[in-house]
Amino acid sequence: MELITNVSEYERLAKERLPKMVYDYYASGAEDQWTLKENREAFSRILFRPRILVDVSHIDMATNVLGFNISMPIMIAPSAMQKMAHPEGELATARAAAAAGTAMTLSSWATSSVEEVNSVGPGIRFFQLYVGFMTNDSGLASYVASQVDRSLSWKDVKWLQTITSLPILVKGVVTAEDTRLAIEYGAAGIIVSNHGARQLDYVPATISCLEEVVREAKGRLPVFLDGGVRRGTDVFKALALGASGVFIGRPVLFSLAVDGEAGVRKVLQMLRDELELTMALSGCTSLREITRSHVITDSDRIPRSRL
C-alpha cells in the first residue's frame, strides 16, 4: 500500500483505480468547473494570525451539533452512490464515522438503505432530503432531475416541520437574504454549500460566502460549511470565520475507493491531526478559542479608502 500523507493524495489514487465514468462522476463540477476550482483556491487566500506562548499541552476538539456530542467539528457530507467506489459503500463510511466519533449524512441517492446503514451499529447519522441536481444529457442526471419537484419552496420547510420532530437544516444557503428566510421559516441550522460546485457554475466558493451568512445569522442558529475542505487548516479557517463545523464529501469517496473503511478512517484521522496541530500552532486549546482574529481574508487586505 502506498504511503499517503495528505487527504488530496487519495484523489490521484482513486483516479487510477476507478472506471473513468465513475471517477468523472465523483470528481466533476458544473460547466466550466470554475466554482469547483475556486472552492479550493479560496481557502489558500486566507492566512493565519497565530498567537504564541500559549500552553497547548491539552487541546479539546469535541463539540455538540444539534444536541449530539461529536469528537471533532468534521462530519461526513451526503455523497451519492458510494457502492460505485467500493462494494461496502455507505456501510463502510458509516462504520468509519462511528469509529471516529463523528456524524455521517446519508444521501437521498445512496446505494444503501437507511435500514442497512443502521444495521452496522450505533452512530450519529443525518439524512439528506435532496431537492436539486445538475442537469445535462447524462441518463442519471436526467432521471434524478425527473424525480425533483420544481415547485419546492420555503413553505415546504414549514410543512416538513408538521410531519417530523427532527431538526431540519437547510443546505445550499450562500446569501444573507436566504439566511433570513431560513430563520424565518424555522430551520434548525444552515449548511453553506454550493453542492460541491456540481449545480450552478460561477457562484463563489463556500468559504467566501460563509461570513455573510454568519453575520446575518447572528448566532440564532448554527452555520456549517461544505465544499473544498481538504486540510485541517481549512477546518480551522472555517471555524475562525464563524462555522460551527464542516462536512467533507469527495475525500470520503476517493478514500473509500482506495481502501474502503480503512481509507475513510484515515482521512478523518488526518484531518483531525492537522486541525489539532493548527490549533496548537495558533495558540488555541478549544474550539471556542478559535476566533476571527486568527485569520486574514481578502476583505481585510482592501484599503479602507476603497470600502
Side-chain angles (χ1 to χ4, degrees), residues 126 157 210 218 252 266 281:
F126 304 149
V157 176
L210 178 59
K218 298 182 179 70
V252 170
K266 184 165 184 178
L281 295 175

Side-chain angles (χ1 to χ4, degrees), residues 82-94 104 111-112 256:
Q82 294 185 17
K83 285 188 176 178
M84 294 197 304
H86 188 275
E88 293 191 333
E90 293 84 1
L91 307 185
T93 301
M104 171 206 178
T111 42
S112 303
L256 185 65

Side-chain angles (χ1 to χ4, degrees), residues 214-252:
V214 168
R215 277 195 298 266
E216 188 61 37
K218 298 182 179 70
R220 290 173 286 181
L221 77 178
V223 176
F224 305 95
L225 174 137
D226 80 2
V229 174
R230 299 293 184 274
R231 285 282 195 181
T233 50
D234 299 334
V235 181
F236 186 100
K237 291 171 183 179
L239 298 176
L241 294 178
S244 295
V246 304
F247 289 85
I248 59 169
R250 287 184 175 94
V252 170

Side-chain angles (χ1 to χ4, degrees), residues 283-296:
C284 298
T285 63
S286 67
L287 301 183
R288 66 177 176 274
E289 292 180 3
I290 302 173
T291 67
R292 181 63 171 80
S293 68
H294 285 99
V295 294
I296 303 169

Side-chain angles (χ1 to χ4, degrees), residues 253-301:
L253 293 171
F254 295 140
S255 60
L256 185 65
V258 173
D259 201 21
E261 179 186 341
V264 180
R265 285 191 185 215
K266 184 165 184 178
V267 157
L268 292 169
Q269 187 63 50
M270 284 193 292
L271 290 173
R272 181 187 176 90
D273 291 345
E274 290 175 0
L275 174 59
E276 183 175 25
L277 179 61
T278 306
M279 289 175 67
L281 295 175
S282 298
C284 298
T285 63
S286 67
L287 301 183
R288 66 177 176 274
E289 292 180 3
I290 302 173
T291 67
R292 181 63 171 80
S293 68
H294 285 99
V295 294
I296 303 169
T297 67
D298 287 342
S299 63
D300 299 320
R301 292 187 282 267

